[in-house]
Amino acid sequence: MKKPELLRENAGRLKTRVGACFPGSRAVFRGHDLHADLKDMDWVELYVFGITGRRFTPEQLRLMHALWTYTSYPDARLWNNRVAALAGTARSTGNLGIAAALAVSESSVYGRGVDVRVGDFLRRTRQKLEAGGELADCVHDELKTYRGIAGYGRPLASGDERIVPIMTLAGELGLDNGPHVRLAFAVEQFLLTGRWRWKMNYAALAAALIADVGLSTREYYLYSFPAFLAGMQPCFVEASQRPEGTLFPTSCADILYEGPQKRRWQAAIDSTTAKPTVDHLWNLQSSTTQLNTAPHSEARHGYQTQHPLSPVPGQTDQPGRAHI
């Protein structure tokens, strides 16, 4: 079907299988009356039902709850929580601050990007092994392609404090011995006995547990979206209660600046008008200074300052003035 025909067919109507609201009457959620058929569902159960259209056992739902709970850290130094806290100290609204924090949770290093990659890796590796492949070949291929394996290794620490609690609960629920979980630990053992010495982190284990529950990689990605949410709200609230702008203030001494040095104002005067020339003003407004974005050892608060530095449009470049 050509695009214009496809657009005309869908103009002025909504075709949906997931539900609809009938104001004053009822709300339908995936074919069920939300206030009658689904009224006893808890929120996580409804959430994953909305994503997958499938029901899960009480044990599986308990595990899904715990996977969120065990990674809810109210630490404003964490990259996404910092966004929520900075929104609080800037006196932004809660919705804007938390939405921004959730948005940056798609980080390819720590967040949802890792979930997708490790889930995909475990599924591909399991398929290859079932087809007669060797684990060593699968690991080496992944390392050759990506120079690492998502879900293994962890910055700043050699282990992950969440592994034992979640595996203990999974054992109590009878969900600790699925094929993806066994594979995740087998990959860890291979990496530990090799030259890499990488331990499994929470991302790999969570992806394995959820894969054994039956969620696809995309379903897991959508399920994981609020995983950090409970830790963000305390950071926003606390920053909002403290004096405005006092969260992570950065001293000028903490910035390693390697741009142009201070320079004297030398206005070019048109002798006929006694005004600065247009060319001179343009050169001033077009000049750009840059802040060194390379990490340096002089960062004094345990984090690195990486800000672009450029003139504000419409303002002239003045000595000693940095627009950040």
Side-chain angles (χ1 to χ4, degrees):
M1 183 180 293
K2 295 182 179 179
K3 188 173 182 180
E5 297 175 0
L6 181 62
L7 294 175
R8 278 193 292 270
E9 182 180 319
N10 288 276
R13 68 183 70 182
L14 172 65
K15 296 181 179 180
T16 177
R17 298 178 183 177
V18 297
C21 172
F22 302 90
S25 172
R26 69 192 189 284
V28 178
F29 194 105
R30 284 198 174 272
H32 299 269
D33 189 312
L34 179 63
H35 304 120
D37 304 330
L38 308 181
K39 61 182 177 64
D40 294 323
M41 273 190 171
D42 78 357
W43 190 84
V44 172
E45 184 177 4
L46 182 69
Y47 184 64
V48 294
F49 178 58
I51 293 171
T52 66
R54 304 190 301 274
R55 304 292 185 96
F56 296 88
T57 67
E59 292 78 17
Q60 292 170 332
L61 291 168
R62 176 71 185 91
L63 181 65
M64 291 182 190
H65 275 274
L67 285 169
W68 284 359
T69 301
Y70 291 2
T71 195
S72 298
Y73 290 8
D75 187 333
R77 295 172 299 176
L78 298 175
W79 89 102
N80 47 3
N81 288 357
R82 179 178 297 198
V83 172
L86 288 172
T89 198
R91 300 302 186 256
S92 180
T93 66
N95 275 348
L96 286 175
I98 301 303
L102 285 172
V104 301
S105 295
E106 288 210 304
S107 163
S108 61
V109 178
Y110 302 107
R112 302 286 73 89
V114 175
D115 296 337
V116 172
R117 293 203 308 277
V118 67
D120 178 64
F121 165 71
L122 292 173
R123 286 175 172 82
R124 285 189 286 107
T125 301
R126 184 189 173 198
Q127 291 172 356
K128 291 178 181 178
L129 294 179
E130 290 177 345
E134 295 292 333
L135 180 61
D137 294 335
C138 295
V139 171
H140 286 137
D141 288 346
E142 193 77 4
L143 290 170
K144 183 178 180 180
T145 303
Y146 299 105
R147 301 178 63 186
I149 298 181
Y152 293 86
R154 191 185 187 195
L156 305 179
S158 60
D160 196 315
E161 66 280 358
R162 297 163 289 187
I163 298 291
V164 171
I166 198 65
M167 279 303 294
T168 299
L169 176 63
E172 294 172 357
L173 298 171
L175 300 173
D176 62 334
N177 198 36
H180 291 95
V181 170
R182 295 197 303 271
L183 174 58
F185 279 101
V187 171
E188 179 187 48
Q189 189 59 38
F190 180 85
L191 293 171
L192 286 175
T193 55
R195 62 183 176 83
W196 303 276
R197 300 292 191 269
W198 292 340
K199 291 185 178 180
M200 177 169 56
N201 64 44
Y202 192 68
L205 183 54
L209 288 165
I210 287 296
D212 287 336
V213 166
L215 271 66
S216 68
T217 299
R218 178 171 174 78
E219 289 169 345
Y220 175 49
Y221 162 78
L222 294 172
Y223 151 79
S224 299
F225 176 72
F228 305 124
L229 182 60
M232 294 174 177
Q233 306 285 4
C235 297
F236 176 85
V237 170
E238 183 176 60
S240 300
Q241 292 172 341
R242 292 183 173 177
E244 183 176 353
T246 58
L247 180 74
F248 299 134
T250 302
S251 169
C252 292
D254 293 329
I255 300 175
L256 181 62
Y257 176 68
E258 295 182 350
Q261 299 301 311
K262 291 182 179 181
R263 49 202 183 277
R264 297 178 60 187
W265 179 269
Q266 295 179 347
I269 304 299
D270 186 326
S271 59
T272 60
T273 62
K275 295 180 180 179
T277 64
V278 173
D279 288 342
H280 180 69
L281 291 177
W282 173 257
N283 290 334
L284 287 174
Q285 293 177 8
S286 300
S287 63
T288 302
T289 56
Q290 296 181 348
L291 183 71
N292 186 351
T293 59
H296 59 89
S297 60
E298 296 179 2
R300 303 182 182 182
H301 298 299
Y303 61 95
Q304 297 166 355
T305 302
Q306 298 184 359
H307 291 301
L309 186 62
S310 62
V312 175
Q315 291 185 355
T316 57
D317 192 9
Q318 299 180 18
R321 188 166 194 172
H323 302 297
I324 297 179

